[in-house]
Amino acid sequence: MIRIKGLRKAFDGKVVLDQLDLHLEKGQRYALMGASGSGKTTLLNILMGLMKPDSGEILKPDGLRISAVFQENRLLDAMTPAANIQLVAAVSTQRIHEVLLSLGIEESSLQQPVRTYSGGMKRRVAIARALLSDYDLLLLDEPYKGLDEDTRQQVIAVVKQMTEGKTVLMVTHEPEDAKDHHLIEIE
């Protein structure tokens, strides 16, 4: 599906990706792990076209659709969760509510603007938005940060179920999150 060859990226002379070679196969889940500053988020930004590499190439199918959970939630606080999700996903409010409920969002809060949500609730809205978008490749940048353990396990189960057969690349520092994923370590 995606082949990365000799990817290099530096910031102010500091190399964060150096001759990275990677092959992501369709329908597989990958966990990208490495120390802070090792280029994990940079790689995701390059894959999304938000940043250009200094050298190397990325071979991917034409029209590849990418969905993402960024480190920041990137929600519009004055809007409801459904309205936030419908900005990027052509899906019914009913379907959005089903997914949000499965992620542990209380039904009583579905009509409230996300500014009234806790950080963990906002995180789950961001995850739902990515899951409900039409994509070929899902990029997850530390998707479970800020979630308590019970909620985290619930969200992991929903993500796993909803991404069955999809290509997923997740950045994480948590070995537990990498379970059921092909591990990719970068330095």
Side-chain angles (χ1 to χ4, degrees):
M1 175 182 213
I2 297 176
R3 189 171 301 273
I4 297 168
K5 295 180 179 181
L7 202 67
R8 184 178 192 282
K9 181 67 178 174
F11 297 98
D12 297 324
K14 181 182 183 322
V15 176
V16 293
L17 293 173
D18 191 19
Q19 300 302 312
L20 178 68
D21 293 320
L22 192 58
H23 181 224
L24 303 178
E25 294 182 24
K26 186 175 181 176
Q28 299 296 310
R29 290 187 180 102
Y30 299 91
L32 188 60
M33 298 183 76
S36 293
S38 62
K40 299 177 303 293
T41 297
T42 298
L43 174 60
L44 298 188
N45 285 329
I46 290 170
L47 286 170
M48 287 184 279
L50 300 174
M51 190 179 287
K52 292 196 180 294
D54 297 332
S55 61
E57 62 180 329
I58 299 174
L59 305 170
K60 57 186 177 183
D62 288 338
L64 181 73
R65 298 165 301 165
I66 299 174
S67 184
V69 174
F70 296 89
Q71 284 187 12
E72 315 80 30
N73 294 320
R74 299 184 182 194
L75 301 172
L76 297 175
D77 280 344
M79 297 173 73
T80 65
N84 266 281
I85 292 167
Q86 288 170 329
L87 288 171
V88 297
V91 64
S92 72
T93 301
Q94 179 181 343
R95 177 66 180 135
I96 292 169
H97 287 176
E98 288 170 3
V99 171
L100 290 171
L101 291 170
S102 74
L103 292 169
I105 301 289
E106 297 290 329
E107 188 168 3
S108 60
S109 65
L110 293 175
Q111 300 304 320
Q112 296 175 1
V114 295
R115 74 170 160 264
T116 65
Y117 279 30
S118 69
M121 291 170 74
K122 288 179 181 180
R123 193 68 182 156
R124 287 175 276 166
V125 173
I127 290 168
R129 179 183 57 204
L131 291 171
L132 288 165
S133 296
D134 195 15
Y135 65 90
D136 303 305
L137 173 64
L138 178 62
L139 303 176
L140 304 169
D141 199 349
E142 298 185 40
Y144 311 122
K145 72 175 184 179
L147 300 178
D148 65 71
E149 188 57 30
D150 289 341
T151 303
R152 190 173 152 278
Q153 292 304 321
Q154 179 179 5
V155 171
I156 288 171
V158 171
V159 169
K160 183 176 179 181
Q161 180 226 342
M162 290 186 68
T163 60
E164 190 66 41
K166 296 280 195 169
T167 308
V168 177
L169 178 59
M170 175 180 58
V171 167
T172 184
H173 287 103
E174 301 296 326
E176 176 72 18
D177 294 349
K179 191 173 63 175
D180 301 328
H181 289 67
H182 299 284
L183 184 61
I184 302 167
E185 294 188 67
I186 61 174
E187 299 177 12

